[in-house]
Amino acid sequence: MSTWTQVREITLMNLRSIPERLGPSLVIVVGIAGVVGVLVALLSMSSGLDETLGSGGRTDQVVITRGGSNGELASFLAIGSATLIKQDPGIARADDGTPLASSELIVITEVPRPGQRTGANVTLRGVEPVGLTLREGFRITRGRLFRPGVQELIVGNGAASQFSGLEVGRTLRFRGSTWTVVGHFESGGKYDSELWSDIGTVQGAWRRSGVSSILAQLKTPTVLPAMTARLKEDPQLDVEAKTQLDFYQGQSGQLTATIGILAGIVALIMAFGATFGALNTMYSAVSARTREIGTLRALGFGASPVVASVMAEALLLSTSGGALGALFAYLVFNGYAVSTLGGGFTQVAFQFAVTPQLVGIGLGLAIGIGFIGGLAPAIRAARIPVTSALRE
């Protein structure tokens, strides 16, 4: 009988005996399912946040802020500086010759949380009309656009789904005055967590004479290095220019890295427990079949088929647990909408994203646990002397 035939026969024999050891087998499956489910769920939060903050970014648009600022909220540009920046030759022009650049003002507002008395900090962005056209994905999903000079707001779909009091027609109190929600919009990325209004109205209400940033359309992405050099050399300016994609990914990098580290630590601790559970279960399985293994060895079955059969059983149980955990994470968490504190101490609404890559990571971890948990018992089974096994 060939080695492959021996492996197949012993493996099938072991697999048929799994129902007889259903309790110990379930320990492995459920334990590994828990590890994979928690890991994939935590990583899906990081993936969803990174996707939200990075998906709205483009490489042919540039965000210009004050030099040294760590975000739009901490940035301030005087009106004169903003006007000077917009005249840069690297910025594209409309048909009438006006620059395709939007001066924007960022302020923090507070909106109610559903079922809570405390509020949440949400970004209110004052934009110029050209700022709406620069965002290709922008569209009004409900209601209408705000009117310049009137205290009206449009609300991102993400913010509307996470916070209360933002329905069309509702009013909010900001800076001692009443603002009316006239529409909902979607624009992709972090913008869907914001409130938008006319920049002039926001400047007047918050008594701001400048702007926070400028979003500009580049003629081509290749002009950015030269444009950056011109802005830095101008003695009247102290600014920093980054592509929109790089700017928003930089804002999310630290938070997503922290979540990833947390997921790794939690998964590592749980993986240790699952590995020891697999070891204990497989050792018990080997001990229960000592006489059976001795009989097979006496009939001419080699040590390698015994090792392969025990490993196959361990890997089958661990893979089943990994698939179960990944399926649970997908069904429960994929698309689950939440909000968290982002850059500038304001809330960012996003959805968990269980991607194929995360499922692959979870299954890889499950297979690793099964391999480690089954290797030592498999080697022990192969090394049991035939005479000792038959006396068991």
Side-chain angles (χ1 to χ4, degrees):
M1 185 182 297
S2 66
T3 301
W4 169 246
T5 303
Q6 293 180 10
V7 171
R8 184 185 62 186
E9 292 298 327
I10 299 178
T11 301
L12 290 175
M13 187 182 304
N14 290 346
L15 295 180
R16 292 191 193 103
S17 67
I18 288 180
E20 301 174 4
R21 297 173 282 107
L22 186 59
S25 298
L26 284 177
V27 171
I28 297 179
V29 174
V30 174
I32 294 178
V35 174
V36 173
V38 170
L39 174 66
V40 173
L42 287 174
L43 290 180
S44 70
M45 178 169 59
S46 175
S47 175
L49 183 61
D50 188 58
E51 181 179 318
T52 295
L53 295 181
S55 64
R58 295 172 51 177
T59 58
D60 61 344
Q61 292 184 354
V62 62
V63 177
I64 303 167
T65 56
R66 180 175 59 82
S69 60
N70 59 0
E72 291 177 285
L73 185 63
S75 173
F76 178 82
L77 299 173
I79 295 297
S81 298
T83 302
L84 184 60
I85 292 169
K86 291 180 180 180
Q87 304 310 312
D88 189 273
I91 296 177
R93 296 292 192 272
D95 294 338
D96 59 0
T98 58
L100 295 177
S102 171
S103 296
E104 303 187 350
L105 177 62
I106 302 297
V107 296
I108 294 179
T109 58
E110 184 175 329
V111 298
R113 290 179 180 272
Q116 299 183 17
R117 295 182 178 180
T118 59
N121 290 337
V122 176
T123 298
L124 171 58
R125 181 182 297 269
V127 299
E128 293 185 297
V130 67
L132 305 178
T133 61
L134 288 177
R135 295 168 170 94
E136 291 183 346
F138 173 83
R139 70 183 184 94
I140 297 293
T141 59
R142 183 174 300 175
R144 59 174 176 82
L145 188 63
F146 56 80
R147 293 173 294 176
V150 182
Q151 291 180 329
E152 295 178 340
L153 301 166
I154 55 175
V155 177
N157 286 341
S161 65
Q162 288 297 305
F163 308 110
S164 60
L166 299 180
E167 297 83 5
V168 175
R170 296 290 294 271
T171 58
L172 301 170
R173 293 287 295 177
F174 297 146
R175 307 292 291 184
S177 56
T178 301
W179 296 69
T180 303
V181 178
V182 297
H184 290 173
F185 73 91
E186 67 177 14
S187 185
K190 71 183 294 291
Y191 299 127
D192 285 354
S193 303
E194 299 179 345
L195 315 180
W196 285 9
S197 185
D198 170 58
I199 186 172
T201 308
V202 177
Q203 285 175 323
W206 268 262
R207 299 179 182 178
R208 303 286 180 86
S209 59
V211 299
S212 301
S213 64
I214 296 174
L215 175 65
Q217 177 70 48
L218 298 174
K219 289 182 176 179
T220 62
T222 58
V223 305
L224 181 58
M227 176 182 175
T228 301
R230 286 192 298 270
L231 295 177
K232 287 186 176 296
E233 293 171 359
D234 193 324
Q236 303 179 70
L237 300 175
D238 177 19
V239 297
E240 184 175 358
K242 293 182 179 180
T243 64
Q244 190 185 42
L245 179 62
D246 290 341
F247 182 81
Y248 287 124
Q249 285 184 340
Q251 298 291 299
S252 65
Q254 184 176 358
L255 182 57
T256 53
T258 300
I259 296 174
I261 293 172
L262 175 63
I265 293 174
V266 173
L268 182 62
I269 294 172
M270 296 185 66
F272 270 116
T275 301
F276 283 113
L279 275 169
N280 182 62
T281 302
M282 296 310 300
Y283 269 124
S284 299
V286 169
S287 298
R289 298 203 305 272
T290 300
R291 181 179 297 180
E292 177 186 323
I293 292 172
T295 303
L296 292 173
R297 295 293 305 279
L299 292 175
F301 285 78
S304 298
V306 173
V307 172
S309 66
V310 175
M311 290 298 298
E313 179 181 347
L315 292 175
L316 175 64
L317 293 175
S318 63
T319 303
S320 300
L324 181 63
L327 178 62
F328 174 80
Y330 179 82
L331 294 177
V332 175
F333 292 102
N334 190 51
Y336 181 68
V338 295
S339 64
T340 188
L341 201 62
F345 300 102
T346 56
Q347 295 290 317
V348 176
F350 67 99
Q351 293 182 338
F352 283 56
V354 179
T355 64
Q357 291 80 4
L358 297 186
V359 173
I361 292 173
L363 290 178
L365 177 62
I367 293 173
I369 294 173
F371 181 84
I372 296 173
L375 184 60
I379 294 175
R380 179 183 180 278
R383 289 181 175 178
I384 296 176
V386 176
T387 54
S388 298
L390 291 176
R391 283 198 299 266
E392 287 290 336

